[in-house]
Amino acid sequence: EHPTTMTYNMDELKKRSVASTSHNISSNLKPTGKDEKAPASPKPSITEITRTHPTAYVIFASLLLDLLAFTMILPLLPSLLEYYRKNDNQLYGYLASSIKQFQLWIGAPERFTSVLFGGALGSMFSFLQFLSSPIVGALSDYYGRKPLMLLCATGIAASYGLWAYSESFLLFVIARFIGGISKGNVSLCMAVITDVSNQQNRGKAMALVGIAFSLGFIAGPMIGAMFARFSDKSGVLWFFAPAMFAMLLAVADILFLALCLKETHPKEKRSRQIINSLSHAIDHISIRALFRFSAVENLPQKDVRSLRRLGVTYFLYLFLYSGLEFTVTFLMYHKFGYTSIDQAKMFLTTGVLMAILQGSVVRRLPERLVQKSAVFGLYLIIPAFVIVGLAESSPVLYLGMILFAISTAFVVTCMTTITSQYGDFHQKGTVLGVFRSLGALARAVGPIVASVAFWCVGARITYITGGLLLLWPALMMQYLKL
């Protein structure tokens, strides 16, 4: 859809602005009723059409608060696992023996047991997101975005509060479980941005999500590292301070959303039915149904086919991507002897590069270049994988990771922008929820498969094979007809 030459009614433009529900100039603004005479009014200027809606900046700030709290735990995880190893012989002991058997089976050195343990927790978290994202998205199509955003934010805050008092590993796992189930907020953020944007400015608004992720993954681990450095890890509940700080950020997010976020999905545009039968609920969590986008009803067959191809492309990309992202930690330590500081420098370099690209280039992409940019990013990650696999020196490794970062800056944002164009207003939450859920499923299984490959056949074969396999999603995206 593109803006047409129709005359716009100024009252409707004002309503659209107040309700924050712009989607597309031609589809959102209804012509005046038969009995009304529309006064001659100027068409919206190009600046009005392309300007990012203020609500998108509210979402950016909310997501940044959420991600700062979420990524804080990453540098603390090794010390946390060590604490539970010494103080919890029940659940931790059972899981540790299972991880150890897996480690022996794939041939990983014993010093990587804690990394594999952390990977298992990360896979659980992603799997929970896979379950929650489409259901939360569908509920927001019925109840509105704001109530579900507040519910997710409350669940996230509760998970940090429980973590602060997690003397046992079981309580820590329950806290992570609550946090994972509540992480449907990311797909909700994208649904809100879709509500308040049109095809001309949606890419610019979606790039704010990517920038929030980049900044969150730069600053959050730094905050966590400071807590890790200055905490007395010999004490009981030494992690109480960082957990409470994370909860403080989460509570600030709740208050910020309650005060600043306006509902962007008005009642007249909401879905008329909730998930009211078991069969329909299964459409939101069944893997086969998710790949088929079965939860999204009454779409033209052409749109359904495009959505399914987008879903498969996104899954394949993130499945392979998350494998490199997870196993590159092993590579840096095992092959290059990188310390934690060396690894932090690498991830800081890639994170800053992604934030700069998303803020300066991706946000300014015109609509006609969004698909081409996604294709560019998918092709660029192929040499990135190959270079990382062949690297024998640190500069070559940095080159591969820089290409990896450039690719990342484009792909997810551009693919999400394309996906958000599908479905009616009352279906946007469901469409983006299913899309995010496929990504979460990829992140749940990708690191496990990549770890097995890394230790069984070696880094070189793993990364080169991964790079060649990425030709598949790249070609699918190139020949996708929107």
Side-chain angles (χ1 to χ4, degrees):
E1 295 173 293
H2 293 282
T4 64
T5 55
M6 66 182 285
T7 301
Y8 295 93
N9 183 297
M10 286 305 292
D11 291 336
E12 289 163 344
L13 283 171
K14 288 174 184 174
K15 287 176 187 173
R16 172 174 173 262
S17 173
V18 171
S20 302
T21 56
S22 61
H23 164 55
N24 171 309
I25 298 298
S26 62
S27 63
N28 284 357
L29 301 180
K30 299 175 183 176
T32 48
K34 291 180 182 178
D35 298 329
E36 299 176 49
K37 287 191 176 180
S41 55
K43 298 173 188 176
S45 68
I46 294 297
T47 306
E48 285 178 46
I49 292 171
T50 57
R51 182 186 296 133
T52 303
H53 196 282
T55 301
Y57 294 103
V58 172
I59 291 299
F60 167 77
S62 168
L63 199 53
L64 185 57
L65 283 171
D66 173 55
L67 288 165
L68 287 174
F70 171 70
T71 56
M72 263 183 60
I73 195 175
L74 299 178
L76 299 169
L77 201 53
S79 300
L80 273 170
L81 294 175
E82 182 63 19
Y83 170 84
Y84 290 120
R85 185 183 71 80
K86 292 178 180 176
N87 296 283
D88 188 316
N89 294 320
Q90 296 174 338
L91 179 62
Y92 184 91
Y94 170 74
L95 291 176
S97 64
S98 301
I99 293 289
K100 192 166 182 63
Q101 287 174 359
F102 177 72
Q103 168 224 322
L104 292 171
W105 176 60
I106 64 175
E110 191 167 344
R111 64 178 176 273
F112 289 116
T113 301
S114 62
V115 180
L116 292 170
F117 211 123
L121 285 174
S123 289
M124 180 197 79
F125 200 87
S126 293
F127 184 72
L128 292 168
Q129 275 186 276
F130 153 70
L131 293 177
S132 67
S133 289
I135 294 175
V136 168
L139 290 173
S140 79
D141 283 338
Y142 184 83
Y143 290 109
R145 312 291 188 222
K146 187 170 181 177
L148 271 296
M149 284 284 286
L150 288 170
L151 183 64
C152 287
T154 303
I156 290 167
S159 74
Y160 295 134
L162 184 58
W163 169 33
Y165 293 95
S166 297
E167 286 190 39
S168 70
F169 187 63
L170 176 61
L171 274 179
F172 176 71
V173 170
I174 292 172
R176 298 298 287 169
F177 184 91
I178 294 170
I181 285 289
S182 303
K183 269 292 172 182
N185 66 323
V186 179
S187 60
L188 283 180
C189 287
M190 293 175 175
V192 170
I193 285 175
T194 302
D195 291 341
V196 299
S197 61
N198 54 54
Q199 284 189 315
Q200 281 68 36
N201 63 20
R202 187 168 298 135
K204 190 186 293 187
M206 284 292 182
L208 287 172
V209 174
I211 296 167
F213 266 88
S214 297
L215 294 178
F217 275 83
I218 292 167
M222 288 182 174
I223 297 170
M226 286 171 60
F227 277 108
R229 183 173 181 180
F230 296 110
S231 298
D232 178 12
K233 299 182 185 63
S234 60
V236 179
L237 294 181
W238 62 266
F239 44 82
F240 181 84
M244 290 307 290
F245 184 76
M247 192 177 84
L248 187 67
L249 289 172
V251 170
D253 187 26
I254 295 171
L255 295 174
F256 179 71
L257 287 171
L259 294 172
C260 300
L261 180 65
K262 295 176 182 177
E263 179 56 65
T264 61
H265 198 48
K267 289 183 180 179
E268 63 270 18
K269 291 182 177 175
R270 292 180 192 173
S271 174
R272 300 186 187 280
Q273 61 177 9
I274 196 171
I275 306 172
N276 51 13
S277 69
L278 181 61
S279 61
H280 198 63
I282 288 172
D283 285 346
H284 292 78
I285 54 174
S286 157
I287 293 175
R288 183 173 181 273
L290 283 171
F291 276 105
R292 294 178 63 81
F293 281 81
S294 301
V296 188
E297 299 173 338
N298 303 319
L299 280 185
Q301 276 304 305
K302 178 179 176 293
D303 287 359
V304 171
R305 285 194 295 270
S306 295
L307 265 180
R308 287 173 181 173
R309 286 176 68 87
L310 271 169
V312 172
T313 303
Y314 187 60
F315 174 83
L316 289 171
Y317 165 73
L318 269 186
F319 172 76
L320 295 163
Y321 171 97
S322 62
L324 170 63
E325 187 181 47
F326 181 68
T327 55
V328 77
T329 308
F330 301 137
L331 182 74
M332 289 178 190
Y333 184 95
H334 191 63
K335 189 172 181 179
F336 294 94
Y338 274 25
T339 63
S340 297
I341 298 298
D342 294 328
Q343 291 187 28
K345 288 177 183 175
M346 172 72 82
F347 291 125
L348 179 64
T349 302
T350 55
V352 168
L353 180 58
M354 282 190 282
I356 291 170
L357 283 172
Q358 285 164 335
S360 60
V361 180
V362 181
R363 284 202 73 215
R364 290 176 168 80
L365 283 174
E367 183 197 348
R368 70 180 188 280
L369 293 180
V370 172
Q371 184 179 4
K372 290 178 180 176
S373 298
V375 172
F376 161 74
L378 285 166
Y379 276 116
L380 186 63
I381 203 171
I382 296 170
F385 263 62
V386 173
I387 290 169
V388 168
L390 294 174
E392 295 292 340
S393 64
S394 202
V396 177
L397 180 64
Y398 260 87
L399 173 62
M401 292 302 292
I402 285 169
L403 292 178
F404 181 75
I406 296 170
S407 164
T408 305
F410 285 91
V411 176
V412 174
T413 299
C414 291
M415 289 191 70
T416 305
T417 302
I418 293 167
T419 304
S420 67
Q421 296 172 7
Y422 291 94
D424 294 328
F425 257 98
H426 66 278
Q427 298 171 313
K428 295 296 185 186
T430 305
V431 169
L432 288 166
V434 171
F435 186 70
R436 285 288 304 177
S437 182
L438 290 172
L441 178 63
R443 283 189 171 279
V445 296
I448 296 170
V449 175
S451 295
V452 173
F454 186 95
W455 295 113
C456 289
V457 299
R460 182 166 294 188
I461 294 175
T462 299
Y463 291 140
I464 292 174
T465 303
L468 294 175
L469 288 174
L470 275 161
L471 274 169
W472 186 3
L475 288 167
M476 285 183 72
M477 192 71 213
Q478 183 176 353
Y479 293 105
L480 176 68
K481 292 181 179 177
L482 301 179

